[in-house]
Amino acid sequence: MAAGGLGAVGRAPVEVCRLVDLEPLRRELPRRAGEDLVLIVSAALYREVVESGFGGLDPADFEYVSAVVKGQTFHGHIHYGSRSRAVRNNPPVRRPWSSFLERRRKVS
């Protein structure tokens, strides 16, 4: 990341900007009008923090989303807390790295 004329530039700031503009997150915002925060995390943050168990966050409380923006695919996870999948509007998507991590956990 580096400083630019209009703020930070680099891969991380671009990814953050794309994630907060993803359609699945935009669809969620009106449903949470009474809440102060809607959380989306990058795929990397999800893998390194949520799936690894840091902070006590439950991976089941997140839902994988992705979208192609300007020819590049961006992956993220929206936090739903204990809301059931029935109230979620985003279709379930298989997380490509989850099966690997599940096998790894079983071996440990």
Side-chain angles (χ1 to χ4, degrees):
M1 182 166 46
L6 299 175
V9 296
R11 192 165 138 188
V14 168
E15 184 174 13
V16 168
C17 290
R18 299 294 185 237
L19 287 175
V20 299
D21 203 29
L22 290 184
E23 186 58 35
L25 186 65
R26 290 188 169 277
R27 282 195 308 264
E28 188 62 22
L29 291 170
R31 289 197 294 258
R32 298 197 194 188
E35 297 181 28
D36 295 328
L37 177 71
V38 177
L39 174 66
I40 187 168
V41 297
S42 69
L45 188 65
Y46 179 83
R47 277 191 315 271
E48 294 172 16
V49 176
V50 178
E51 281 193 332
S52 66
F54 291 131
L57 296 169
D58 186 350
D61 292 343
F62 289 79
E63 187 170 301
Y64 173 79
V65 295
S66 70
V68 177
V69 181
K70 296 187 177 184
Q72 186 176 358
T73 304
F74 292 89
H75 307 276
H77 296 265
I78 298 175
H79 183 262
Y80 284 91
S82 59
R83 294 174 67 195
S84 72
R85 183 166 288 282
V87 300
R88 301 176 188 175
N89 218 15
N90 303 317
V93 178
R94 185 183 179 309
R95 290 175 258 175
W97 52 83
S98 290
S99 59
F100 168 75
L101 289 172
E102 288 168 10
R103 285 193 310 269
R104 189 170 164 209
R105 286 185 186 130
K106 288 178 185 176
V107 171
S108 301

